[in-house]
């Protein structure tokens, strides 16, 4: 087997050509992507098997499968890695990490070795010397291989260990590091690796946000997973200045400015997947705090069904979206999925006969065929100023990232009056309170009745892990208290409970789904707007007109086994 690998390695060009063709035939890569990688490889000297995942053109797993098939080697998985390290004391974790190689078992035929790059003859030769015999290569997914190395050599290869290799100055005595020193520290390999590890771990854990917080005696790193913050292993407090500076350099921010908040963006590929990080820094008492919003461009599904929008709500939402003009609003608190719902609406509406313009702060995802504009208040490019200009661009549909003031609201109303469909978001608790919020802002009631088509309010609930959720009969007291019989025709009502397993990291939940209520502005609602009725009257009338509330939507999903009653009550705080 080793002879075969070395023979293929000697024909690098033929191997790469065959590998590229295999990926294209399998639908994992297109010809233009292959050409791009070849051009980059010609300059950098890196192999396609390394470049394609790095450029985000092919996922690490797809590449590992293709390499294994091309070399006729076995592909190993997480279950194949050993429980204890082989040749303890003879192999440096740093060498294993950098060479991306790990001995996994000893057989009569030789040492079985997992390799991210089986063509790395230097690494296999080094292990041959250590083992004193033949090396039998196997192909491993790089991410899984690194996770195994970190598990086996936790004390030396963990986040804190990676940072410990750096000869950084301590700032625990309040010593201010100058800008050039910070830049030098942030450019050192251990700090780069440390920040990369934090980001990689967050992506692998499906985190939506990375929080790096500086306190007097500790630097805390937390990931928001399925809407809940969870602590993870954190570097030593003395490395906080270098870590923040490294993130600022990556986001092209001013590392010398530590007194004012800054916002930036990082684009990179993790495990072959393109990732955008929206970076926000803010000065705190003991240093700068950093929050990075993780935007997985390939992982987001801009499809209403995938987002968890029920058939009933979807039918109502589509009806108001398909009107030729008017205003459609999506509301909810921060992190409730409003922007994703707006993007999904735009994708559904996008067609060659429509021109769509968006005004956003910031642009979260790039959408093909849609003109997106980034607001920049620092140079006077505000929502209101951009909106005045883009209406002269003759759009059919306008999406405004958020209605923040009466000026933006008035321009949105004028755009709807002149034949445009306007989509936007607002921060309110439910659909009915949105109308009161617009009136409080200063929007004219008679204009709202003319232009407002409908309002979708939403929340996100954690969905139960399919591997460990359990079903049991509901207690009669719970059925009566929550009036669950109105949501099902079954004689005996069952509810589901979160348990926890390895698949969901012991939480019992995996992923999130939308709870949504769609208020259609009908004539009875318009009469209430003109009377400036309170939110309770608007809500009651909307329900009478056929609106299914977020609470009702959630209870139906709890009874179907998608989530739990506790989750629904947590996010709706109703009933």
């Amino acid at each position: 087997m080793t002879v075969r690998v070395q023979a293929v390695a000697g024909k690098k060009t033929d191997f790469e050509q065959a590998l590229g063709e295999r990926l294209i035939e399998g639908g994992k890569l297109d010809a233009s992507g292959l050409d791009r990688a070849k051009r980059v490889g010609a300059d950098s000297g890196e192999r396609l098997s390394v470049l394609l995942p790095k450029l985000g053109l092919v996922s690490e797993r797809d590449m590992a499968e293709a390499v294994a098939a091309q070399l006729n080697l076995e592909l190993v998985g997480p279950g194949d890695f050993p429980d204890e390290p082989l040749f303890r004391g003879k192999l440096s974790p740093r060498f294993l990490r950098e060479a991306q190689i790990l001995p996994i078992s000893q057989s009569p035929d030789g040492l079985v070795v997992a390799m991210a790059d089986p063509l790395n003859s230097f690494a296999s030769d080094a292990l041959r010397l250590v083992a004193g015999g033949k090396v039998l290569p196997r192909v491993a997914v790089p991410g899984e291989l690194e996770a195994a190395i970190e598990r086996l050599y936790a004390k030396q290869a963990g986040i804190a260990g990676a940072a410990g290799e750096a000869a950084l100055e301590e700032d625990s005595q309040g010593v201010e590091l100058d800008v050039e020193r910070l830049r030098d520290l942030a450019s050192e390999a251990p700090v780069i690796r440390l920040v990369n590890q934090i980001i990689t771990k967050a992506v692998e854990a499906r985190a939506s946000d990375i929080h790096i917080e500086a306190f007097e005696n500790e630097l805390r790193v937390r990931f928001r997973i399925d809407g809940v913050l969870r602590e993870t292993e954190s570097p030593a407090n003395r490395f906080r200045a270098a870590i923040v500076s490294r993130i600022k350099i990556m986001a092209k921010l001013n590392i010398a400015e530590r007194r004012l908040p800054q916002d930036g963006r990082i684009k990179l590929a993790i495990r072959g997947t393109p990732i955008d990080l929206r970076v926000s820094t803010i000065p705190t008492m003991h240093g700068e705090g950093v929050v990075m919003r993780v935007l997985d461009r390939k992982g987001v599904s801009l499809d209403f069904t995938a987002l968890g929008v029920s058939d009933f709500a979807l039918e109502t939402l589509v009806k108001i979206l398909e009107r030729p003009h008017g205003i459609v609003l999506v509301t909810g608190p921060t992190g409730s999925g409003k922007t994703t719902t707006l993007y999904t609406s735009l994708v559904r509406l996008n067609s060659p006969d429509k021109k769509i313009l968006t005004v956003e702060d910031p642009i979260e995802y790039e959408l093909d065929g849609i003109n997106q504009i980034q607001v920049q208040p620092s140079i006077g490019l505000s929502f209101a100023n951009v909106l005045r200009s883009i209406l002269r661009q003759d759009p059919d549909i306008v999406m405004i990232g958020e209605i923040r003031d009466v000026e933006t609201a008035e321009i949105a109303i004028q755009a709807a009056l002149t034949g445009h469909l306007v989509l936007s978001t607002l921060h309110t608790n439910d659909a009915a309170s949105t109308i009161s919020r617009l009136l409080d802002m200063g929007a004219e009631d008679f204009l709202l009745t003319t232009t407002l088509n409908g309002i979708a309010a939403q929340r996100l609930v954690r969905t139960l892990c399919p591997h460990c959720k359990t079903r049991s009969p509901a207690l009669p007291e719970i059925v009566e208290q929550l009036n669950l019989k109105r949501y099902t025709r079954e004689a005996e009502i069952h509810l589901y409970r979160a348990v926890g397993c390895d698949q969901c990291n012991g939480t019992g939940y995996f992923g999130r789904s939308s709870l949504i209520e769609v208020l259609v502005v009908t004539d009875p609602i318009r009469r209430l707007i003109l009377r400036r009725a309170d939110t309770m009257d608007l809500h009651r009338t909307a329900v009478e007109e056929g609106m299914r509330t977020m609470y009702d939507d959630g209870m139906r999903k709890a009874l179907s086994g998608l989530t739990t009653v506790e989750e629904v009550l947590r996010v709706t705080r109703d009933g």
Side-chain angles (χ1 to χ4, degrees), residues 213-383:
E213 302 157 305
F215 296 97
E216 184 176 7
N217 298 313
E218 67 170 331
L219 180 68
R220 184 162 64 175
V221 178
R222 295 190 288 174
F223 299 155
R224 189 176 294 279
I225 303 170
D226 294 335
V228 178
L229 278 173
R230 302 191 181 279
E231 282 205 53
T232 186
E233 184 185 1
S234 301
N237 189 36
R238 64 181 181 272
F239 305 125
R240 61 189 177 193
I243 291 169
V244 173
S245 296
R246 174 60 190 165
I247 293 170
K248 282 185 170 183
I249 289 171
M250 294 172 72
K252 298 179 174 59
L253 300 178
N254 182 3
I255 68 169
E257 181 55 77
R258 283 166 275 176
R259 302 165 301 170
L260 296 173
Q262 296 186 67
D263 294 301
R265 201 178 190 108
I266 300 170
K267 287 190 176 185
L268 69 166
I270 300 291
R271 309 290 184 222
T273 302
I275 299 292
D276 281 3
L277 296 173
R278 209 173 73 199
V279 181
S280 172
T281 70
I282 193 166
T284 61
M285 181 178 290
H286 298 289
E288 289 179 279
V290 179
V291 175
M292 293 183 277
R293 170 66 57 87
V294 182
L295 304 171
D296 183 350
R297 285 177 276 163
K298 284 190 175 179
V300 66
S301 179
L302 299 180
D303 176 80
F304 283 120
T305 304
L307 295 178
V309 180
S310 63
D311 293 340
F312 180 86
L314 179 58
E315 183 181 350
T316 309
L317 184 58
V318 169
K319 282 181 181 177
I320 60 176
L321 285 172
E322 289 180 346
R323 295 183 187 179
H325 52 79
I327 299 174
V328 178
L329 297 174
V330 181
T331 74
T334 300
S336 60
K338 300 186 298 296
T339 304
T340 304
T341 299
L342 275 189
Y343 280 164
T344 306
S345 302
L346 291 178
V347 169
R348 189 181 185 98
L349 294 169
N350 191 18
S351 62
D353 62 333
K354 292 188 178 73
K355 179 169 183 175
I356 302 176
L357 282 167
T358 75
V359 188
E360 305 173 61
D361 183 22
I363 296 172
E364 293 201 5
Y365 298 104
E366 296 177 17
L367 303 177
D368 291 336
I370 294 174
N371 300 280
Q372 296 172 267
I373 302 166
Q374 169 73 55
V375 168
Q376 298 185 57
S378 60
I379 60 172
L381 198 66
S382 64
F383 276 110

Side-chain angles (χ1 to χ4, degrees), residues 90-293:
K90 292 184 178 181
L91 292 172
S92 159
R94 182 174 181 178
F95 163 73
L96 296 176
R97 230 175 19 242
E98 292 177 355
Q100 292 190 299
I101 188 170
L102 181 68
I104 57 177
S105 65
Q106 187 81 55
S107 75
D109 297 327
L111 179 66
V112 181
V113 177
M115 303 179 69
D117 180 9
L119 300 182
N120 186 343
S121 58
F122 170 78
S124 56
D125 287 344
L127 277 189
R128 188 177 298 110
L129 291 173
V130 173
K134 193 176 181 181
V135 167
L136 306 175
R138 301 288 186 267
V139 182
V141 178
E144 295 174 358
L145 184 63
E146 287 180 19
I149 295 171
E150 183 172 341
R151 172 175 60 81
L152 294 170
Y153 300 92
K155 291 183 180 179
Q156 295 142 290
I159 285 180
E165 296 176 21
L168 302 182
E169 292 182 8
E170 298 237 5
D171 63 347
S172 56
Q173 303 301 318
V175 178
E176 286 292 328
L177 301 175
D178 62 32
V179 175
E180 288 306 315
R181 178 60 177 149
L182 277 175
R183 195 183 302 276
D184 291 342
L185 292 176
S187 301
E188 291 181 0
V191 175
I192 294 173
R193 184 163 60 248
L194 188 155
V195 173
N196 288 346
Q197 282 183 356
I198 292 173
I199 295 171
T200 301
K201 284 185 68 175
V203 172
E204 290 174 346
R206 302 178 298 104
S208 61
D209 300 87
I210 304 168
H211 292 248
I212 301 175
E213 302 157 305
F215 296 97
E216 184 176 7
N217 298 313
E218 67 170 331
L219 180 68
R220 184 162 64 175
V221 178
R222 295 190 288 174
F223 299 155
R224 189 176 294 279
I225 303 170
D226 294 335
V228 178
L229 278 173
R230 302 191 181 279
E231 282 205 53
T232 186
E233 184 185 1
S234 301
N237 189 36
R238 64 181 181 272
F239 305 125
R240 61 189 177 193
I243 291 169
V244 173
S245 296
R246 174 60 190 165
I247 293 170
K248 282 185 170 183
I249 289 171
M250 294 172 72
K252 298 179 174 59
L253 300 178
N254 182 3
I255 68 169
E257 181 55 77
R258 283 166 275 176
R259 302 165 301 170
L260 296 173
Q262 296 186 67
D263 294 301
R265 201 178 190 108
I266 300 170
K267 287 190 176 185
L268 69 166
I270 300 291
R271 309 290 184 222
T273 302
I275 299 292
D276 281 3
L277 296 173
R278 209 173 73 199
V279 181
S280 172
T281 70
I282 193 166
T284 61
M285 181 178 290
H286 298 289
E288 289 179 279
V290 179
V291 175
M292 293 183 277
R293 170 66 57 87

